[in-house]
């Protein structure tokens, strides 16, 4: 359906794409969640997919919403999330790449995205992608003006099996140019003793495949990392809480180290 080319994508019946938690949080960590939700604007219907596909990992990052919200509370950290499905537009992809509005995800054809016009694609960017990233920019600017340090942590989850291949990692640290935060995070995660930790696995950050870390972290000179948790470990509330507790403890240790090294001030 290409109705979005001639009318507004989001109506008064649709919720805004951006949602925030703990906006007054004083932690140096700024948390983002690009694939928090799986909503679809009413005008797009179901994108031609059955409900069974819209609840799979192709539509959102299963389990990460609960982890992100609990972690925000534990750390007293500001959390910014995006509530629409990555099948509408992927808010962690450069808008010009094919995977921004996917025609195929894993082995599923997204018929509602086939033959999409340039105008309709621009509408999705203007009403979902741009407000989310504009808000992240605004918050980083506000924190800088207020003298608050900002360490960007982008939260994601990954499917345990992709294209028939099982993934052994429990959690992965994703990064590109930052040499401060990722090594600390890797060291502390591996010290846990019960985890298989991915070093830029199951994904690696790059300018071609990612947006949040390259644009908001690296281009602005902020310490940053992506965190990917395997979805079967956070598929219920107990798992979400356990991982939020663990990450809060580890990130708390990292904050102490960064302050001791005089890499952050407040």
């Amino acid at each position: 359906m290409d109705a979005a080319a001639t009318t507004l994508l989001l109506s008064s019946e649709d919720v805004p794409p951006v949602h925030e938690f703990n906006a007054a949080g004083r932690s140096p960590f700024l948390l983002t969640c690009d694939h928090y939700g799986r909503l679809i604007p009413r005008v797009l219907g179901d994108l031609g997919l059955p409900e069974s596909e819209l609840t799979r990992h192709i539509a959102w990052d299963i389990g990460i919403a609960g982890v992100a919200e609990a972690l925000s509370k534990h750390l007293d950290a500001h959390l910014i999330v995006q509530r629409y499905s990555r099948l509408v537009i992927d808010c962690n992809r450069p808008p010009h790449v094919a995977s921004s509005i996917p025609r195929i995800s894993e082995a599923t054809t997204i018929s509602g995205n086939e033959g999409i016009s340039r105008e309709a694609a621009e509408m999705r960017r203007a009403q979902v992608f741009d407000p989310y990233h504009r808000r992240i920019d605004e918050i980083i600017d506000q924190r800088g003006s207020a003298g608050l340090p900002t360490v960007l942590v982008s939260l994601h989850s990954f499917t345990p099996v992709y294209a028939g291949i099982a993934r052994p990692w429990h959690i992965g640290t994703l990064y590109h140019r930052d040499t401060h935060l990722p090594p600390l995070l890797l060291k502390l995660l591996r010290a846990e003793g019960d985890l298989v930790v991915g070093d830029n696995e199951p994904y690696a950050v790059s300018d071609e495949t990612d947006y949040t870390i390259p644009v908001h972290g690296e281009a602005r000179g902020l310490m940053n990392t992506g965190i990917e948790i395997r979805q079967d470990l956070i598929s219920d509330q107990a798992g979400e809480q356990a991982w939020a507790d663990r990450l809060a403890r580890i990130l708390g240790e990292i904050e102490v180290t960064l302050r001791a090294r005089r890499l952050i001030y407040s």
Side-chain angles (χ1 to χ4, degrees), residues 37 50 57 60 75 147 166 168 177 182 240:
H57 71 91
W60 63 328
L75 293 175
R177 297 179 177 93
E240 292 169 357

Side-chain angles (χ1 to χ4, degrees), residues 242-259:
W243 274 94
D245 292 348
R246 192 194 294 247
L247 287 175
R249 172 171 49 81
I250 289 171
L251 290 172
E253 292 180 42
I254 287 173
E255 180 180 349
V256 171
T257 300
L258 294 177
R259 290 188 185 279

Side-chain angles (χ1 to χ4, degrees), residues 173-245:
T173 300
L174 279 57
Y175 58 94
H176 188 200
R177 297 179 177 93
D178 184 16
T179 59
H180 296 294
L181 179 57
L184 283 174
L185 183 57
L186 278 167
K187 179 181 177 181
L188 290 176
L189 285 171
R190 287 170 171 163
E192 294 286 282
D194 62 340
L195 300 179
V196 179
V197 182
D199 181 353
N200 262 342
E201 295 284 1
Y203 307 104
V205 173
S206 75
D207 295 335
E208 294 74 35
T209 57
D210 295 80
Y211 192 90
T212 298
I213 284 178
V215 171
H216 300 295
E218 294 175 342
R220 301 193 61 155
L222 302 179
M223 285 182 285
N224 64 83
T225 190
I227 292 177
E228 291 266 2
I229 306 172
R230 206 174 68 201
Q231 289 168 359
D232 57 316
L233 305 177
I234 51 174
S235 60
D236 59 27
Q237 191 171 5
E240 292 169 357
Q241 190 62 55
W243 274 94
D245 292 348

Side-chain angles (χ1 to χ4, degrees), residues 51-129:
E51 181 68 12
S52 58
E53 292 289 341
L54 295 174
T55 57
R56 292 181 61 228
H57 71 91
I58 65 170
W60 63 328
D61 279 2
I62 295 168
I64 203 61
V67 175
E69 290 176 31
L71 185 59
S72 170
K73 291 178 183 177
H74 287 332
L75 293 175
D76 189 30
H78 192 167
L79 166 64
I80 307 173
V81 310
Q82 197 289 115
R83 297 194 279 198
Y84 283 91
S85 174
R86 64 195 304 168
L87 298 178
V88 175
I89 186 166
D90 193 322
C91 284
N92 192 37
R93 295 287 181 273
H96 66 274
V97 302
S99 58
S100 169
I101 299 176
R103 278 65 166 178
I104 297 176
S105 185
E106 197 171 12
T108 300
T109 298
I110 318 301
S111 62
N113 289 344
E114 291 188 310
I116 183 172
S117 69
R118 186 173 67 178
E119 292 79 12
E122 282 298 318
M123 187 71 74
R124 295 192 195 186
R125 176 178 180 174
Q127 294 194 35
V128 176
F129 183 98

Side-chain angles (χ1 to χ4, degrees), residues 109-151:
T109 298
I110 318 301
S111 62
N113 289 344
E114 291 188 310
I116 183 172
S117 69
R118 186 173 67 178
E119 292 79 12
E122 282 298 318
M123 187 71 74
R124 295 192 195 186
R125 176 178 180 174
Q127 294 194 35
V128 176
F129 183 98
D130 287 347
Y132 174 61
H133 288 291
R134 187 163 54 242
R135 186 58 181 156
I136 296 173
D137 265 336
E138 289 170 354
I139 293 302
I140 294 172
D141 287 343
Q142 289 173 14
R143 292 173 67 91
S145 297
L148 285 175
T150 299
V151 179

